[in-house]
Amino acid sequence: MPEGDSVYLVARTLDAKLRGTRVRRSDFRVPRHATADLSGRAVLGTVSRGKNLLTRFEGGLTLHTHLRMDGSWTVLSPGKVLPRRMEPDIRVLLATTGGPGLADGAPGPTAVALTMPVVELVATDAEGDVVGHLGPDLLGDGWGEGGAEEAVRRLAARPERSIKVALLDQRNLAGIGNLWADETCFLRGLHPSTPVGEVDLPPVVALAARMLRHSVTVPGAYQVTTGDTRRGAQHWVVGRAGKPCLRCRTTISVEAEVVGDPERRRTWWCPRCQPAPGSAGARGAAVGPGL
């Protein structure tokens, strides 16, 4: 599943290329909205909310999409078309007029949603129905207005839960995926199964927010947690099963995901830097920043 920073960057691309354009043709290839037509409506913009995308249109309509594991948005320049082999994957097509550098009425970019598992048209004033359950967005404008404190409060509400599961729960804080959960746990010296009640939560939340914001704002830093952009050295533990820890040289462990169990995702950790709860070496102390 895409991480929150991935979705944020998709939203930024859609917003930059579609905002201010007008839909000249829409094609929804999902049963629920097969007859929907957005033709003539101006595109007001696109924002992300955790791992959700909200594209707003003139007239009070919002297109809610969620990439899940394999969904994607592609924006084609005027006159460009998708390869024919990709036609079966199209779920939404929005052909526009106008746009940056283009005259009103001139053919504009075409946005195409591919293999999109979640496609919903909702009233803009009812967006809360589809994203209102989410916790504070680590990349949202309101994060600095009590977002971190609210995230800590929500995480602490279930002290028996493992820290990784709690971090992945979008109802606690929105935007953390598997990569950021495992890398955050490593950098805080926490075994992923450590109960929330044994964790100093404010530093964990602050670190996660800092890493995601670094990922989307610093050129070349996208999803690099070690500060080293060389292949194989970009992450502390994720994807490094069987390889030596970049800090202590202990072999990195991995636990496979359990299909159908959202609380049993594939998990990487260093047995020495992140000792299991209750073990002699367990400490829950940070092993140092990676950014």
Side-chain angles (χ1 to χ4, degrees):
M1 183 178 293
E3 308 279 331
D5 54 338
S6 305
V7 179
Y8 176 90
L9 293 174
V10 171
R12 196 157 70 179
T13 296
L14 289 174
D15 190 70
K17 295 187 176 183
L18 297 182
R19 177 189 287 268
T21 64
R22 191 169 294 275
V23 179
R24 60 183 171 86
R25 181 169 71 91
S26 67
D27 183 2
F28 286 82
R29 302 182 187 180
V30 293
R32 182 178 179 184
H33 299 299
T35 62
D37 186 4
L38 298 177
S39 298
R41 295 178 187 260
V43 182
L44 303 181
T46 299
V47 298
S48 62
R49 183 74 170 85
K51 300 181 182 183
N52 299 263
L53 289 163
L54 301 170
T55 301
R56 295 164 180 153
F57 298 87
E58 183 180 46
L61 273 183
T62 294
L63 173 60
H64 168 229
T65 54
H66 196 303
L67 280 61
R68 294 276 173 88
M69 292 298 294
D70 56 0
S72 66
W73 274 99
T74 295
V75 181
L76 305 170
S77 299
K80 300 293 185 180
V81 296
L82 282 176
R84 188 176 296 275
R85 58 182 168 77
M86 300 181 72
E87 280 281 329
D89 295 330
I90 295 176
R91 294 296 175 267
V92 181
L93 183 148
L94 301 171
T96 70
T97 59
L102 298 173
D104 290 344
T110 297
V112 184
L114 299 166
T115 62
M116 194 68 65
V118 176
V119 175
E120 297 179 289
L121 275 174
V122 299
T124 300
D125 60 8
E127 287 177 356
D129 293 345
V130 292
V131 296
H133 64 287
L134 298 173
D137 186 344
L138 286 95
L139 294 173
D141 293 337
W143 180 258
E145 301 173 2
E149 292 78 7
E150 175 61 14
V152 168
R153 186 191 69 78
R154 293 188 181 209
L155 287 165
R158 294 185 59 182
E160 78 287 353
R161 245 181 160 188
S162 74
I163 184 60
K164 177 173 180 178
V165 169
L167 288 173
L168 288 175
D169 189 337
Q170 302 299 293
R171 296 169 297 183
N172 291 330
L173 65 173
I176 293 182
N178 213 41
L179 183 150
W180 291 114
D182 282 351
E183 295 291 289
T184 298
C185 285
F186 174 83
L187 287 167
R188 290 302 304 168
L190 296 166
H191 191 280
S193 67
T194 304
V196 167
E198 299 178 14
V199 175
D200 184 8
L201 291 172
V204 171
V205 170
L207 175 62
R210 181 161 64 93
M211 288 198 296
L212 262 74
R213 289 182 179 271
H214 185 85
S215 178
V216 300
T217 57
V218 177
Y222 174 66
Q223 295 191 349
V224 175
T225 59
T226 60
D228 189 339
T229 59
R230 293 176 300 170
R231 185 175 181 178
Q234 298 172 332
H235 305 142
W236 293 105
V237 289
V238 171
R240 293 185 52 80
K243 297 179 180 179
C245 174
L246 295 174
R247 288 195 183 277
C248 72
R249 312 307 292 174
T250 300
T251 300
I252 298 297
S253 296
V254 65
E255 182 176 281
E257 64 183 325
V258 176
V259 177
D261 186 344
E263 297 200 357
R264 298 286 297 279
R265 301 285 302 281
R266 180 172 296 182
T267 299
W268 292 267
W269 74 97
C270 172
R272 182 175 181 183
C273 295
Q274 301 166 265
S279 66
R283 63 191 185 283
V287 295
L291 301 175

